Amino acid sequence: MKELSTKARALLESARLGEPSLAAEKTKVLEAVQAKILAGAVPSTAALSGVTAAARATTSKVALMLFWVLGAATVAVALTVQSPVIAPEPVIEAVEAPPVVEPVEVVIPPAPTPTPTPAPAPVGRPTPRKNKPVVVVAPAPAAPVAPKVDLCALTVELRALKQAQQQLIRAPDKSLAGLEDFARGCSTGPLLEERQATRALALCGLGRKDEGHAELKSLEARFPQSPSVARVRQTCR
Amino acid sequence: MLTASVPIDAVRADEVPRFEDVYTQNFEIVWRTLRRMGVPPSHLDDAAQDVFLAVHRKLGQFEGRSTVRTWVVGIAIRVAKDQRRFATTKGKYEQLDPSLPDGAPGPDLAAATSQALGLLEELVIGLNETHREIFVLFELEELTAPEISQALGINLNTVYSRLRLARGAFERALEQRELRP
């Protein structure tokens, strides 16, 4: 078969070098996916055609809000979240019964700050349904379709990372402390690459450049392809 | 980019991969595939969520007949097609602007690579859907022909024949683009 010309091949290679980092998108989408999984609303992909873009954007936002509110307010509860809060009208025909995470036990440690508050009703919506949005209990039923997902670890890791990133500029000491707190209980995790990069940036932000460079080296050794390596190196110069 | 410490495609056929590992190791390829298949920037977030919600829902049924990456890419291609079909029927999408691909390189990246990425995305978006999916998966994501055959559910010979046509279409588009002032 005829190969691509040298010119076309060179274009592909140059473009590859220009690929942007997707770290922010990776975290953001994971948060939204986890929120939807927690809420039990798992739309089928084939259902896209029945959903308007606006409704879907609202779904994401409300589900995310629910996720954070629950995260902040709940102390070691097993919860089952039903879908009413995030069900925009046009989506209903498309949403399957939530078979996958029904009910998944999620243990969320106490959040650092506020006292529990009820989830606010979505703005611009008529009265919410009478269904209770959060039901505590329920032993796991037999035969779930999908494997159990360790939502707890991921949820906590996400929160730790997000908080550390938010504090990076104004309070790198707090950012670092938060990351180290998390790492004491869980040295690995799906967001380890992002955590290491944030830790290196926090160390450099505190003027502890030697430690920052050591963290960078470790990041580079573990994730040689990581787009964060260049970013951290530039910041820690 | 494969970043997780556990190589997910090394799991035994009778093991179910963990969702977190699937996500971590396949997010980038899913995002790029969706973008290159023409999902507009404003819809990429939702489309990626749909892919991974589908992955989460179906993970228990994954039989290991293909690699996890191939399976996930197949889902991404289907979601991208659904999105485009929806766009076509509803006329809801904004006009794609190939000169501004999502996540376009910032000022810190070399102008040359930035221009190359913009040009590449322009040329790829100009291919028809059949050519584009083969070109993206083979030339850009470097899947093998058998992997593409599994991901798209098409015959291996069809993959090769479409790849040949896709390369030709891409080369012609590149030449025409260079002739433009």
Side-chain angles (χ1 to χ4, degrees), chain B residues 83-153:
Chain B
Q83 290 259 355
R84 287 186 63 78
R85 201 168 296 129
F86 172 63
T88 309
T89 50
K90 300 285 180 187
K92 290 269 183 187
Y93 277 1
E94 63 271 39
Q95 184 67 36
L96 291 177
D97 183 353
S99 65
L100 293 171
D102 176 69
D108 56 326
L109 290 178
T113 58
S114 174
Q115 281 176 358
L117 185 61
L119 174 58
L120 176 66
E121 304 254 334
E122 177 186 334
L123 297 177
V124 167
I125 283 172
L127 298 175
N128 72 38
E129 190 173 274
T130 309
H131 291 166
R132 190 190 308 139
E133 63 189 14
I134 295 283
F135 191 86
V136 164
L137 298 183
F138 190 91
E139 299 292 359
L140 302 177
E141 296 302 342
E142 300 181 328
L143 266 64
T144 64
E147 283 178 324
I148 296 172
S149 161
Q150 286 174 333
L152 302 181

Side-chain angles (χ1 to χ4, degrees), chain A residues 52-110:
Chain A
T52 67
R56 294 166 72 242
T58 307
T59 305
S60 302
K61 283 175 191 160
V62 175
L64 194 55
M65 189 167 65
L66 176 64
F67 174 66
W68 289 115
V69 169
L70 288 175
T74 314
V75 180
V77 291
L79 51 82
T80 302
V81 183
Q82 295 173 344
S83 58
V85 180
I86 63 155
E89 314 76 40
V91 184
I92 290 181
E93 45 111 351
V95 176
E96 292 185 351
V100 180
V101 286
E102 192 196 310
V104 175
E105 284 201 349
V106 182
V107 180
I108 303 176

Side-chain angles (χ1 to χ4, degrees), chain A residues 10 16 21 23 34 40 56 68 108 125 127 144 232:
Chain A
R16 217 164 260 139
S21 162
Q34 287 298 334
R56 294 166 72 242
W68 289 115
I108 303 176
R125 284 223 168 280
T127 47
V232 175

